[in-house]
Amino acid sequence: MGEAHEDPVVDLRLDLAHSARIYDWLLGGRTHFAADREAGRRILSAFPAAGEAARMNRAFMHRAVAHLAREGLTQFLDIGTGIPTSPNLHEIVQGISPAARVVYTDNDPVVLAHAAALLRGRPEGRTAYVQADVTVAGSVLEAPRLHATLDLRRPVALTLNALLHFVPDDGRDRAHAVVEDLKAALPGGSALVITHGTSDFSPLAMGRVTDVLARAGTPLQLRGVAEFRRFFDGWELLEPGVTLAHRWRPGRPEDPGRPTAAEAVCYAAIARKP
C-alpha cells in the first residue's frame, strides 16, 4: 500500500491580529476575530477617523478600476486582496466588461478560506485566487494559476491598495523594489493603482496607530508624498496625479469641509506604462 500524503497543516494564528481582518472590521465586515477587533478598537481610539479612511480607500478602488475598465483594460491583478467585501473588484469590472479576467492574491490563509466569494464572477470572464506573499520573489508572478488566467503579454491593471505600508523597508527599500519587479513584468499599456497610508497630515495620530499595530505584530511603514510618487517612476500619472484617495476624481461634488486631509491620511494615484 502506498504511503498516504496529507495536505500540510496551516496554523491560522487567529489569536494574532491581521491587517486584512482589522480592515474588514473597520469596514463593518464580519470576518474578524477577537484579536482583530481589539486592535481595531485601539486604532479607533488612537485615530477616530480610521473607519472613514478605510471606506474612502475602498471607494477610490471602486472608482479606479471602473475607470480602467471603461478605458478598455480587461485584465486585473489585485495584490493584497483582503477579506471579500461586496462589491469586489471583479464585480465592478465585470459589470462594465463581462469578459474581464481578475486574479486576486493575498498571504492570509483566512482570505483563502473565503475565496469562493471572490470566484463568483461573470460566466463570460474568469476570476482566480492565488495565495502568495508579494515580498517573496516570484511567489506572485510565477504562480501557475496567474498564468492560466492572465496573459502577461497584454496590458494588465495592477492594483496595490492599502498594501505597501505593510512592507517595511528594513534598510533595503524593499517596497519600491517589489513594485519595480512587478512593473517590469507588465507590458506597455498596463496600469498601476496604489493607495498608501501617510503621516504627512496627522503625524501624532498616525504615530499612535503605528504603535498599536506594532504591538499586534504588524509593522506599519507610512510614507511621505515623495516616497509615494517614486512608486510610479517611469510611468505616466493620470490626472489629477498624486492626491488623497477621496480627491481622485470624486463621483460627486466634494464637501469643502469634510473629510480633511488629517482624516483621509491615504495617498492615491493611477499611472499607465508607456
Side-chain angles (χ1 to χ4, degrees):
M1 179 180 294
E3 182 181 353
H5 293 278
E6 297 182 357
D7 291 335
V9 175
V10 177
D11 186 353
L12 299 180
R13 294 308 309 268
L14 302 183
D15 57 320
L16 299 178
H18 189 282
S19 57
R21 301 192 299 267
I22 296 170
Y23 188 62
D24 178 72
W25 184 81
L26 289 170
L27 287 172
R30 295 179 295 180
T31 308
H32 40 74
F33 302 93
D36 309 307
R37 294 189 287 274
E38 176 60 24
R41 284 189 284 268
R42 290 180 180 273
I43 287 172
L44 285 178
S45 177
F47 178 49
E52 180 62 20
R55 288 186 288 274
M56 286 186 282
N57 178 75
R58 187 79 181 172
F60 163 79
M61 183 275 284
H62 291 165
R63 297 195 306 278
V65 299
H67 170 78
L68 293 174
R70 287 192 293 266
E71 289 292 302
L73 279 165
T74 59
Q75 299 194 110
F76 291 79
L77 173 57
D78 182 51
I79 301 180
T81 296
I83 305 297
T85 303
S86 187
N88 290 299
L89 187 152
H90 72 276
E91 295 174 280
I92 300 290
V93 301
Q94 290 178 353
I96 296 168
S97 178
R101 294 177 167 232
V102 178
V103 171
Y104 293 105
T105 80
D106 203 285
N107 68 346
D108 183 2
V110 173
V111 176
L112 175 62
H114 292 268
L118 293 171
L119 302 181
R120 293 174 184 162
R122 297 286 284 267
E124 304 95 320
R126 293 273 309 272
T127 58
Y129 176 78
V130 174
Q131 186 168 344
D133 185 337
V134 72
T135 65
V136 177
S139 68
V140 173
L141 293 173
E142 295 174 10
R145 191 169 295 173
L146 182 148
H147 290 277
T149 309
L150 303 181
D151 180 356
L152 298 188
R153 297 168 300 180
R154 296 175 47 241
V156 174
L158 169 64
T159 62
L160 302 163
N161 291 303
L163 170 69
L164 294 169
H165 45 237
F166 295 115
V167 180
D169 286 333
D170 297 333
R172 294 175 291 161
D173 205 13
R174 281 204 308 161
H176 288 95
V178 163
V179 173
E180 288 304 314
D181 286 345
L182 294 168
K183 288 161 63 180
L186 302 180
S190 294
L192 176 62
V193 181
I194 304 178
T195 63
H196 195 298
T198 184
S199 60
D200 282 357
F201 306 101
S202 191
L204 293 178
M206 296 310 292
R208 292 192 293 267
V209 169
T210 300
D211 290 342
V212 168
L213 287 171
R215 289 197 296 272
T218 300
L220 179 70
Q221 182 162 342
L222 302 168
R223 294 180 173 92
V225 65
E227 290 179 290
F228 179 73
R229 194 182 302 275
R230 277 184 54 211
F231 288 120
F232 301 93
D233 282 357
W235 291 36
E236 298 171 354
L237 285 165
L238 276 58
E239 291 295 333
V242 171
T243 186
L244 292 169
H246 67 291
R247 294 179 181 166
W248 196 95
R249 304 191 187 187
R252 57 179 181 270
E254 184 181 343
D255 180 342
R258 292 292 305 275
T260 66
E263 293 168 323
V265 298
C266 188
Y267 284 124
I270 303 178
R272 296 292 295 265
K273 186 171 186 175

